[in-house]
Amino acid sequence: MRKVVLLGTGSTKYGKLNVTAREAAVLAAKEAIEKVGISNRDVEAVFVSNVFGMTEKQGHLGPIIAHSLGIPYAPTFTVETACASGSTAFREAFVNIAAGFYDCILVVGTEKVSHLDTITATTYFSYGSDFAFEAVNGASFPGLYASIARYHMHKYGTTEEQLAAVAVKNHSNAIHNPKAHFHKKITVEDVLKSRVVASPLKLYDCCPFSDGASAAIIASEEFAKKHIDTLIYVLGTGRASAPAALFNRENMASIISSKLAAEQAFKNSRLTHKDIDFMEVHDCFTIAEVIAIEDMGFCKKGEGAKLAEEGVTEIDGKLPVNPSGGLKAKGHPVGATGVGQINEVYEQLLGEAGKRQVEGATTALTHNVGATGGTCNVLIFRRGD
Amino acid sequence: MKEENLPSIKELEEYVRQGKLMGFKCKKCGHKEVTPFVYCPRCGSSEVEVVELPKTGKVVTYTIQWVAPERFLNEVPYAWCVVELDDGTMVSGWIPFISKPEDLPIGQKVRMVKSYKPGVYFEKVKE
């Protein structure tokens, strides 16, 4: 297997965009190409992630994006694994580079949902779970995570205040992220008083519906050395599935695919938990950040909820989590999210993250979940010296 | 999916409308689920049969939906719940008229009933 390098990234602002998903993808990709300083014609293939394209009356995004980027004959591949689509596209691009099939691939995730009303968007989001056996009985997507939260509260004594602390931290981090959806400081009180969506989750426990696109360029080590000085290696990758239906799992407060993907990524990177300087995890809801940290083995099962409350996961804490603001406050443009996490890793590992910089970070992990855990991808990156 | 002798999702929904819960059972290891399989997700065996499941069980976890998907807009607030049936099979369903956690303690006994409403409809059972 060849060594694979993250050459660079680009991203639109997350939030409400006045362009379509295909346009946002092109803007993010152009920024990445220019930042890295390669030619668009160096890109041999384009891997696209997008989930709700059909709601814009546009499928088959790959060739359209490639055409706009001046590489109309480059092969493309579009992937959908719900909210984990971005990191799935990235990991499969990694496999192609590692295998020696291509030297340079553009990965671009893109999403547009702001043209949908809340009820329609809520319904579309629930298509990522086992719709015929969960949503058909009245579960919304927040409702499924709310059921995970209640189980966690019942089994481990987690409180709504502890969950609120996750939202407060991520909003506070996003203030320093110019591309974040929200730039608004909130308090635990604000979260607790916000409108109940699906109890015990309230509006401020939930990520927003965002538009946005993020791009990443990855290449073989040999190609990378010809174009850039500081190499960020993709050291570990892990992917796994789990039963899409919540009720088919042994522990309803756990996402098994997270555990399996993290084990693989640690194994093939030959790193341990202690090597991770910070991580971007899938916090579509506050409870999701808590169980991500637990399931990947960064603390004992059931003890994740106190970390945000105690400041452990803040930017200057012992284990910084979601310095970007996470899905919660940076935003969650579904197909772009997994690539956006990699954008944060890139800026952090190069020391370009400004006021949200994790001091001295050289090694980072991303964790990206599809729906309630049907898919999970974990990636580990390390800056070379 | 429509294997010989195995019901389609449409047929499973029809059973629910008649007040019956059907499940898939692995003849080899005994594993049961309401979600269709042709190889057992637990042991991998291809020996699958369809069985009728018990109608009573207890609530394992739930949410109270205040923002509902399209077909449930008129039912708010209600509980979407995960129920462990008396034989251990796990299912999801919903319970009407639940507005606060005190209305539905974890472990509450429930019974599936026939209803003109959508989905698997449960009622609380007094002990």
Side-chain angles (χ1 to χ4, degrees):
Chain A
M1 227 172 66
R2 298 198 297 174
K3 286 186 176 172
V4 180
V5 171
L6 171 64
L7 278 189
T9 60
S11 192
T12 67
K13 190 182 175 335
Y14 285 6
K16 185 172 164 30
L17 299 182
N18 289 319
V19 292
T20 58
R22 62 186 270 184
E23 296 168 285
V26 170
L27 294 173
K30 184 165 187 279
E31 185 184 298
I33 289 168
E34 286 174 356
K35 260 208 276 187
V36 173
I38 57 168
S39 157
N40 56 331
R41 296 288 172 106
D42 286 326
V43 173
E44 293 172 286
V46 182
F47 281 39
V48 177
S49 64
N50 174 256
V51 179
F52 301 123
M54 291 301 186
T55 69
E56 283 192 290
K57 301 185 171 65
Q58 184 63 62
H60 206 182
L61 280 174
I64 293 171
I65 294 167
H67 186 87
S68 294
L69 291 172
I71 42 173
Y73 308 111
T76 72
F77 164 82
T78 303
V79 65
E80 187 268 306
T81 55
C83 318
S85 302
S87 54
T88 300
F90 186 89
R91 146 70 185 245
E92 298 316 314
F94 164 92
V95 170
N96 274 263
I97 303 269
F101 205 86
Y102 295 119
D103 282 317
C104 179
I105 297 178
L106 165 70
V107 181
V108 58
T110 187
E111 209 66 68
K112 169 80 170 175
V113 288
S114 63
H115 59 293
L116 304 172
D117 63 79
T118 303
I119 296 295
T120 309
T122 300
T123 305
Y124 268 97
F125 269 64
S126 63
Y127 291 168
S129 62
D130 194 335
F131 191 87
F133 294 89
E134 287 181 321
V136 82
N137 293 325
S140 66
F141 190 57
L144 296 172
Y145 271 97
S147 303
I148 293 175
R150 190 178 309 281
Y151 193 76
H152 203 280
M153 290 163 71
H154 178 74
K155 192 163 176 161
Y156 306 113
T158 295
T159 65
E160 292 187 45
E161 287 78 4
Q162 287 175 323
L163 295 180
V166 174
V168 171
K169 167 187 65 85
N170 291 349
H171 269 265
S172 168
N173 292 351
I175 285 175
H176 305 299
N177 187 346
K179 287 182 172 173
H181 191 151
F182 295 129
H183 293 113
K184 181 184 173 188
K185 217 174 172 68
I186 58 167
T187 63
V188 167
E189 182 101 306
D190 291 333
V191 182
L192 297 177
K193 280 188 175 164
S194 64
R195 186 163 59 93
V196 181
V197 174
S199 85
L201 298 183
K202 297 155 292 290
L203 187 63
Y204 281 172
D205 284 295
C206 310
C207 70
F209 297 120
S210 313
D211 304 333
S214 296
I217 298 171
I218 63 170
S220 63
E221 187 182 36
E222 195 187 345
F223 180 96
K225 281 182 172 169
K226 285 185 204 152
H227 292 90
I228 55 169
D229 300 325
T230 308
L231 305 190
I232 294 171
Y233 290 93
V234 187
L235 275 194
T237 72
R239 292 202 61 217
S241 300
L246 211 56
F247 56 80
N248 278 336
R249 304 181 191 170
E250 282 186 18
N251 181 350
M252 249 151 286
S254 177
I255 292 178
I256 295 291
S257 52
S258 282
K259 183 174 179 284
L260 298 173
E263 282 170 2
Q264 291 170 28
F266 276 117
K267 192 176 172 200
N268 57 42
S269 66
R270 297 194 181 87
L271 295 177
T272 66
H273 292 76
K274 282 184 184 154
D275 294 312
I276 304 300
D277 294 317
F278 79 93
M279 54 186 176
E280 286 284 307
V281 310
H282 198 90
D283 61 327
C284 48
F285 300 92
T286 48
I287 182 66
E289 176 170 311
V290 171
I291 61 173
I293 295 168
E294 292 173 352
D295 289 336
M296 289 195 290
F298 284 91
C299 68
K300 272 192 195 159
K301 191 71 207 164
E303 292 184 0
K306 62 184 183 195
L307 298 181
E309 197 178 41
E310 292 173 355
V312 176
T313 50
E314 281 178 22
I315 287 173
D316 58 358
K318 249 176 97 178
L319 178 66
V321 177
N322 288 327
S324 71
L327 283 64
K328 176 67 202 75
K330 180 192 179 189
H332 183 25
V334 180
T337 291
V339 189
Q341 293 178 324
I342 296 163
N343 181 67
E344 180 68 10
V345 165
Y346 176 79
E347 291 182 11
Q348 290 278 356
L349 296 189
L350 287 188
E352 294 175 354
K355 282 189 174 170
R356 59 178 206 288
Q357 182 65 44
V358 176
E359 279 310 314
T362 62
T363 309
L365 177 149
T366 64
H367 162 273
N368 190 200
V369 171
T372 53
T375 291
C376 184
N377 304 318
V378 173
L379 306 167
I380 296 176
F381 299 84
R382 182 168 244 186
R383 194 180 70 213
D385 295 314
Chain B
M1 180 169 59
K2 178 79 175 98
E3 288 281 307
E4 237 177 300
N5 304 322
L6 293 182
S8 66
I9 288 178
K10 212 172 169 180
E11 285 162 346
L12 291 172
E13 285 172 354
E14 186 50 41
Y15 278 118
V16 168
R17 273 190 289 275
Q18 293 163 12
K20 278 186 188 174
L21 262 179
M22 305 303 282
F24 297 81
K25 183 182 179 185
C26 172
K27 286 189 200 171
K28 209 170 170 192
C29 77
H31 179 64
K32 278 190 264 185
E33 277 184 17
V34 287
T35 36
F37 60 83
V38 291
Y39 294 103
C40 174
R42 183 177 288 172
C43 77
S45 162
S46 64
E47 290 178 47
V48 183
E49 63 179 337
V50 175
V51 293
E52 187 172 351
L53 301 170
K55 290 187 179 61
T56 53
K58 61 181 200 293
V59 172
V60 176
T61 188
Y62 69 95
T63 180
I64 302 166
Q65 296 272 174
W66 288 91
V67 179
E70 268 154 359
R71 289 205 306 162
F72 286 80
L73 290 175
N74 296 330
E75 312 296 342
V76 166
Y78 61 91
W80 178 84
C81 54
V82 172
V83 172
E84 181 178 358
L85 300 175
D86 292 341
D87 67 346
T89 309
M90 306 295 287
V91 301
S92 93
W94 67 286
I95 308 171
F97 311 118
I98 303 287
S99 64
K100 48 190 188 302
E102 298 85 86
D103 295 341
L104 194 63
I106 300 252
Q108 169 73 47
K109 270 199 165 183
V110 291
R111 178 187 295 115
M112 185 219 179
V113 290
K114 186 178 170 180
S115 170
Y116 65 93
K117 303 260 189 188
V120 178
Y121 186 99
F122 282 103
E123 273 180 359
K124 292 200 276 183
V125 177
K126 280 188 190 138
E127 287 185 70

